[in-house]
Amino acid sequence: MGKEDPKVSKPDNTAFTQQRLPAWQPILSAGIVLPLFVVIGLTFIGIGIGLFITSSNVQEIEGPVFMYYGLTNYYQNYRKYGISRDDDQLFGNIDSLKSPANFCSPYQMGAKQMPIAPCGAIANSLFNDTFRLFYKVNEVYTEVLLDDNGISWWTDYNVKFRNPPEINGSLKNAFEGTVKPLNWPKPVYELSTNPNNNGFINQDFLVWMRIAALPNFRKLYRRISEGNWSRSLPAGNYSLEITYNYPVLSFQGKKKVVFSTVTWMGGKNSFLGIAYLVFGSLSIVMALIMLIVYAKYQVQIDRDM
Amino acid sequence: MAPRIPESWNKILRRLKKKKVVKVREVVSNLPFEDRRKGDQPNRHYDTNSINTTKYTVWSFVPQNLFEQFHRFANVYFVAIAALNFVPIVNAFQPGFSLIPICIILVITAVKDAYEDYRRYKADKELNNMSCFLYSRKHKDYVERCWKDVRVGDFVKVVCNEIIPADILLLHTSDVNGVCHIETANLDGETNLKQRRVVRGFLSPDSPFVPEHFNSTIVCEKPNNDLNRFKGYMENPDKKKIGFDRKSLLLRGCTVRNTEEAAGIVVYAGHESKAMLNNSGPRYKRSKLERRMNIDVFFCVGLLIIMCLIGALGHVIWLGSFPDWPPFEVPDENGKFTSPALAGFYMFFTMIILLQVLIPISLYVSIELVKVGQVFFLSSDIDFYDEEMDKLLQCRALNITEDLGQIQYIFSDKTGTLTENKMVFRRCTIGGTEFSHQENALRLAAHGDVDSDEEEAVGPQRGHRSRLQFNSKNKSTRAFRRCHSAKAYYYGGYGRKKSEARRDSEVAFSSPLETDVTPDKKLMKIAREAANQMEMWCEVRCSSDSASYVDFFLALAICNTVVVSTATEPRHRVTGPSLLKPSIKSLEKLHSFLQKMKPGRISQVLSSIQSNSDQTGGTNQISPSPSGTSVGEENVAGECSSSVSGGFKDSGVSSKASTDSGDYAEGVKVRDEICYEAESPDEAALVHAAKAYNFTLMSRTPDHVTVRLPQGVLLTFEVLHTLSFDSTRKRMSVLVRHPITREIIVYTKGADSAIMDLLENPSQEKGKENKITKNASKTLKHLNWYAKDGLRTLCIAKKVLSEKSYEQWSNIRLEAEAAIENRDELLMETALNLETNLTLLGATGIEDRLQEGVPDTIEALREAGIQIWVLTGDKQETAVNIAYSCKLLDQRDTVFTINTDSKETCESILDYTIEEVKRYAAVKNTRTKLFKVPVDVGTVYPLEGAGPTFGLVIDGNTLSLVFEGNLKMKFLELAKHCRSVLCCRSTPLQKSTVVKLVRDKLKVMTLSIGDGANDVNMIQAADVGIGISGQEGMQAVMASDFAISHFKHLKKLLLVHGHWCYTRLSNMIIYFFYKNVAYVNLLFWYQFFCGFSGASMIDYWLMIFFNLFFTSLPPIIFGIMDKDISAETLLGLPELYKSGQNSEGYKWSTFWIAMLDAFYQSLICFFVPYLTYQGSDIDIFSFGTPINTLALFTILLHLAIEIKTWTVVHWVTMIGSVIFYFIVAIVFSATCISCNHPSNPYWIMEREMADPVFYLVCIITPVLALLPRYLIRVIQGTFVLCPLLKARQFDKLDKEQRDEEISEWRKRTRSREATVPLSNLSPPTSPTSPGNSGHPLGRTLTFEAPLNVDLGNDGTTPPGRSMLNGTEIEHSDTLHTQSAVTENIYASIPVSSADRTGDGDRKAEDDSDAFCAGHQRSFSIMTI
């Protein structure tokens, strides 16, 4: 018995079990990283220059202009605020419409214990200033057409947010049995006269519901893509009419309106370009230091060994 | 980790049900109740033989496993956090979320536990279903049943080579003497045969054993785990009591050998059997690294609390900064707002939940997994594989692998650890004449050369093979002999490893090296003549000298417990001369001759055949030459003898033609292949030596022992008593009746210290006096030579008892044997009474050969900065010599020897020596300061460098003074300066005390290595215990954390695997800390931008998965497989080990640097995206996703910088992790529209991936974050600041170049060490003259107290005296020195001494234990 398989416990003599797998063993040293730094440096400088130029171009109001409203010191990312919504309700789920999730509390049920639609703190605090832009030519104010199409994410508008199924072709009926959020002047089905921009899929509502990451933020308000202004805003006098509804004193915030074009890298932000440039240059400097180090010490060390 | 729960619930319940608490167990036969219901069974309360070692049952698994897992602090923490999350006011996530990580971790651990348990279950099942024979009343015979069906009270029959299913009281054997042999290898690894006998007086051997007639009640001890304790009695219906002890108990798991069949009644079954009670699970220890790590975990807790406080405070301030309630502040259900202070209080807990990952919980699981991997690699290293024994490295403690890389002190046993414990007879002295055995020495040298030559030429592996070839001659017969051995189960170890029957090679102490003794020519002649003279039995003794030669060899052959077995049948004992069937004719002749010569029992003297088959039989025995035989025959005078020899010739030559030639031939053959089964290698060596001089031990039964004399006459001695070896007496005796002279003779052999004091008083006869004294002093002189040569010495003595005094003694003895109380003490006393007034016959020197590769290993370990202490029970001279030969002491070393008896002397010697040492040390320091070598190879390590090195030799006696007299610190002070310390004559307890002293006082990592039961204490005392699974049984292995098969394996184990395990694990732990802190800080920084509200910008799922899946595998692989330096380089440059000793892989600074780096990296990782997206319309999760992604890159690339070796596995896990992240993120954000409430992942990843800024951010951030670390590594790599890096560069070279570089480096370090020449120093003034002239280069300072007469200096004083000193140690040595003292001390020895000293010393107590003087396998009864 013992003889039949004499080496019962003899281990496998494989490269794996004996820890002899072929391996790459990089040893970092000045000589080796030198080319790496050069390559990184040059690449980064290149990217940096590209970014910088792109970012600078944003200043020129050319191409389709986007109109943003901005808020400062507004903490949409405040945790309790950020969770106060019911995605199922906003997805058009009838059950959730009638009984919103507890997350919405205390903006869950309105008067007479009727469910709020849309429920939650985010919806309740919907930004409701409105802006109109006028172009003044020869003392004549022409209203610049502001397009509210496609200002929200395509997926939000088409997938994530759905109105509850209309009843008798009426959106109002669909929301029957619900009440409007506390701060809202009118119910959700009257947000717009455009049926494609009404209810939960109202573009302004969608934009607001996508909560900002940082306390100082801007949100897309309109695109200027129609008429004469579709290519760029020509130089001239403009007048902005603001319907002031939204209170900001409670959080010492400021409101602003931003007009900007958008490039492939978004709005104007020169940071990334500068970062690349600085780091690229730094790499080149480091490469030079490495070269000196290599020349002075590495060769000597190599000789020592 | 978690404490083991010994029993599963149902077993506990069963225990509880047992109401009666009785001190004894009563067992009656089950047979009368065979058909009854279970409730009527008399033995129903006892466990059945079905075993269940699983921790869980299918039903109890979930609750019980959870219960166990929650014993861990880490898991409790996690659950507490999760529970906290269910409190609505403070929760940071949705309540369910925080349960995910803990659940996953619990599940992973549970799966691991379940798998292990399933394996146990399978093994149990297999064991339970093994078959055995149970007696059935219905069938009136034994029927085959499963093991699990055996119950207490059943009658079980076991046949030869079967494993015993339960603890059985032996009631019957097929052997006429009522003896049964068992092999306990499965239990304790001892392969020798142990005798068990039928309960005395239970049955007369002739009447058949019928279980049905058994109507007695057995009363015995309750189940306990002491293998060597079992007592009880059997009460017959007529109230007659028959006592029995453990010699009648067959233990579960042992194998029956040499006995056709044995039967008995089951007394303990299943879990109550001694074997199972002894089966303790794996041990859990905390490694140094983990202890260190746990401190840092507390730092993390501190950090966490600080961060949470900042969060809470920040929240209060933030809330207070608003003039009114802002629209984003959400009131509670009643429309009320929480006050800032209260909100801040709540926020503290929310922060804890949010930042919980700061405490690296996953680290604990990862460490466990990494250690599983490390253990796997450790135990599959083929270099640790011993082909002869088919044994691997065995990891018994699973969680201290990294401790192997931090060892600073090694405590080693000598015998069996440094030496092979293969005893080889080297030389002997008889009657004051020394026989040097030159030929034997030459043979041994040649043997050694074969080994070492091969070794040097082709490296260890080839050397191994060559040894195998050497053994192959024996292989065939041995294989045959063991081919019937049954499957055996091995009970020890982690899990229960099923193993096949063990290899033959380890069965008996019978390698050709040990069995072939080349006799000394001169002695051979003398012995032959002496034997002849004895055979003639001339009325007047020719000379007492020649008689003493014969006695000497007879003693060698008889005075032991060696069992003779043959090769033809598996371990079948040669029971007597009946096996040999010489022709009747020659027998008759011899009988008549002997009757004429001396009245005696005919049967006791049988003729045999002068076998010349020694040459032809094909064994390895180098037999006496035929000419030798003829010399003997020619010298025989007188007609009688010629007729004897004629008879021999007649039978010998004619036998083949004779009618019964078949039988006869078989007899010859059988005798050829005689194997000796000895319980200790010393015994076997002596029997083989006697055999070489043709005093062949032919057979042994309990009552008779047969020896074949050189002329072939078989002498059968009646064995009256055997006083077996014990560690207190340090000797054994056999009381025999000489078959011819009818004299009653006591043969005693033992340690010189044990024998010399018991010699007969020389003043009885005037003429004799001189001679005896001369004889003794000469012998002592020889003994000293032997000891200096590193030989183990044994004295052989004899005593003739008068019939009358024998009778007196035997009466007392019988009484003692019958005694129930104090039996052990009484037996001891009778033994001491008998062993007095001995006549010294001679002494032997046995060589304990150094194990292969020992000097090399010791040198390497020494270079690695490890201090090596040898703690041995051996004599000082032997130990010192071994120390020199294995390079433990160097010829250039200054060796301090301290032997003293008084505390004061000891103290002053220590003071003096310390001063002396310091003087050198001071010189050394100034030297090194003056010639400070520019540090091109890392830090200068302590204990390294130039100057003289010191060795310290101390004996057990002095050591006890040190411990008693509060000289510990002084001793340590001295020892610290010594390169090696040698403690001789130390008891097991002293060994462990020394280890503990060094470990606790010097705060160092200690490792103990040993092979025997006497090392168990010290193995357990050390941080890492290593057992050598060699010849001495498994006790050391059972107590150890790691078991290896040779000392030389220690080199690779420590230098390579220790280093790897340590660096791997420490790097991984550091990395884990870094990883968690870096990642959690991202969330923390975000709190500054979200009003400290506990919001997270990263999707919860991705966040949880980040730690669990995306970044867990690469560091685990890193912890298992990263290899900073190749094994070859590590072995070539042992000093690289020092990095682990100094804990360079994981230091206070390493931890904090990692923390700082983590903070820096998290800052970069957060603020680069922050600055990029600042002021834009980015939404919260679109901001978090790039951060999460670039954090993944940063964290993995950080690991990439740290990884030293990129194998396929590394690449796969690294790239796989990234790909997995993207797949999960894409799939998750494509499918989760509103599935995951507060977060909003839908289509975010897709949008991000379509955005070039995402990539730009993900490129620059990791690069920026890792730049400092990368630069530091580059600088380190460029200037090669530490030796490890330099060694790594060697690995890039090809083999030859590397070897060259390594030797170059070593030369350099050596030359640096030798910068201070010895001659420049003034030699220290020695208080006594230097001893030990054998080492002219070395200066040996020997300190001895005036009272103490050291053996080495004055041979005339019996060495035993030196032990007799007024210490409080009741050292066993003192027992035999003065009879007056003896009794006093004796009385104070508790009977249960074995219990006190613990399981480890079980072996020593075994009274069938081997004779092993000088070995000190003993434990000592000592109180400190």
Side-chain angles (χ1 to χ4, degrees), chain B residues 638-650:
Chain B
E639 57 164 336
C640 297
S641 62
S642 71
S643 86
V644 172
S645 61
F648 287 150
K649 275 174 186 156
D650 196 24

Side-chain angles (χ1 to χ4, degrees), chain A residues 36-46 276-277 279-281 283-284:
Chain A
L36 189 75
F37 273 109
V38 172
V39 169
I40 287 181
L42 293 178
T43 319
F44 277 31
I45 288 174
Y276 268 92
L277 276 177
F279 186 70
S281 323
S283 295
I284 299 291

Side-chain angles (χ1 to χ4, degrees), chain B residues 1111-1224:
Chain B
T1111 59
S1112 59
L1113 207 53
I1116 287 174
I1117 292 298
F1118 174 63
I1120 297 174
M1121 296 187 62
D1122 195 43
K1123 198 163 79 169
D1124 58 343
I1125 300 169
S1126 70
E1128 291 76 21
T1129 313
L1130 283 171
L1131 286 174
L1133 293 168
E1135 61 173 282
L1136 296 177
Y1137 187 77
K1138 287 173 183 168
S1139 70
Q1141 279 178 335
N1142 301 336
S1143 299
E1144 278 173 21
Y1146 189 104
K1147 279 193 293 201
W1148 192 83
S1149 58
T1150 333
F1151 173 74
W1152 287 110
I1153 286 172
M1155 287 282 132
L1156 272 182
D1157 197 25
F1159 266 85
Y1160 164 76
Q1161 291 189 17
S1162 66
L1163 275 173
I1164 294 290
C1165 287
F1166 182 79
F1167 282 100
V1168 169
Y1170 172 79
L1171 292 170
T1172 307
Y1173 293 115
Q1174 194 189 18
S1176 73
D1177 61 341
I1178 189 136
D1179 71 284
I1180 182 164
F1181 294 110
S1182 301
F1183 177 65
T1185 304
I1187 291 184
N1188 203 29
T1189 312
L1190 59 88
L1192 181 88
F1193 285 142
T1194 309
I1195 283 172
L1196 287 181
L1197 284 174
H1198 178 110
L1199 184 64
I1201 293 177
E1202 296 299 307
I1203 287 178
K1204 274 103 185 173
T1205 318
W1206 287 82
T1207 66
V1208 185
V1209 187
H1210 290 85
W1211 286 112
V1212 167
T1213 49
M1214 274 293 198
I1215 295 169
S1217 289
V1218 174
I1219 291 175
F1220 185 60
Y1221 167 73
F1222 277 99
I1223 289 174
V1224 168

Side-chain angles (χ1 to χ4, degrees), chain A residues 225-251:
Chain A
S225 57
E226 285 175 49
N228 300 331
W229 299 277
S230 62
R231 293 191 54 212
S232 69
L233 280 184
N237 277 337
Y238 290 86
S239 147
L240 187 68
E241 184 190 293
I242 301 171
T243 318
Y244 196 97
N245 292 319
Y246 206 71
V248 289
L249 279 178
S250 63
F251 54 93

Side-chain angles (χ1 to χ4, degrees), chain A residues 43-201:
Chain A
T43 319
F44 277 31
I45 288 174
I47 295 173
I49 290 169
L51 284 172
F52 196 75
I53 290 168
T54 319
S55 183
S56 313
N57 283 344
V58 174
Q59 282 171 322
E60 324 281 327
I61 314 259
E62 273 182 19
V65 175
F66 287 70
M67 181 180 172
Y68 298 85
Y69 62 89
L71 283 170
T72 61
N73 213 23
Y74 194 100
Y75 287 82
Q76 262 206 319
N77 56 12
Y78 183 60
R79 194 186 118 73
K80 280 198 254 175
Y81 176 85
I83 62 167
S84 186
R85 61 195 276 170
D86 185 351
D87 282 327
D88 285 327
Q89 192 190 45
L90 299 172
F91 189 56
N93 190 321
I94 301 283
D95 294 334
S96 299
L97 185 72
K98 295 288 147 74
S99 52
N102 289 332
F103 297 111
C104 290
S105 173
Y107 306 107
Q108 188 180 14
M109 294 296 181
K112 298 178 211 156
Q113 287 301 301
M114 299 262 273
I116 296 175
C119 73
I122 311 176
N124 189 44
S125 60
L126 179 69
F127 185 78
N128 55 1
D129 284 3
T130 53
F131 308 97
R132 291 173 75 194
L133 185 65
F134 297 94
Y135 184 39
K136 187 177 156 194
V137 188
N138 305 328
E139 300 298 320
V140 176
Y141 289 91
T142 320
E143 184 167 1
V144 177
L145 287 177
L146 301 175
D147 181 12
D148 59 2
N149 253 333
I151 55 167
S152 69
W153 289 24
W154 187 90
T155 49
D156 281 355
Y157 182 73
N158 290 295
V159 184
K160 196 167 162 62
F161 288 77
R162 302 279 78 194
N163 277 319
E166 293 181 6
I167 297 167
N168 302 328
S170 160
L171 192 61
K172 187 184 172 186
N173 289 350
F175 281 101
E176 182 133 8
T178 64
V179 293
K180 67 178 175 60
L182 221 61
N183 292 349
W184 286 22
K186 39 189 180 177
V188 65
Y189 45 85
E190 287 172 14
L191 279 176
S192 168
T193 49
N194 179 359
N196 289 330
N197 193 23
N198 204 6
F200 289 156
I201 54 168

Side-chain angles (χ1 to χ4, degrees), chain A residues 197-268:
Chain A
N197 193 23
N198 204 6
F200 289 156
I201 54 168
N202 177 272
Q203 297 275 356
D204 288 323
F205 177 66
L206 295 187
V207 168
W208 183 253
M209 289 305 282
R210 186 158 284 280
I211 54 175
L214 298 166
N216 302 331
F217 60 86
R218 62 185 180 191
K219 283 180 181 286
L220 192 55
Y221 183 68
R222 294 290 182 264
R223 292 188 305 159
I224 303 172
S225 57
E226 285 175 49
N228 300 331
W229 299 277
S230 62
R231 293 191 54 212
S232 69
L233 280 184
N237 277 337
Y238 290 86
S239 147
L240 187 68
E241 184 190 293
I242 301 171
T243 318
Y244 196 97
N245 292 319
Y246 206 71
V248 289
L249 279 178
S250 63
F251 54 93
Q252 292 170 321
K254 284 179 186 140
K255 293 192 266 195
K256 60 183 172 184
V257 172
V258 181
F259 295 90
S260 171
T261 56
V262 174
T263 60
W264 56 269
M265 54 164 292
K268 178 182 159 57

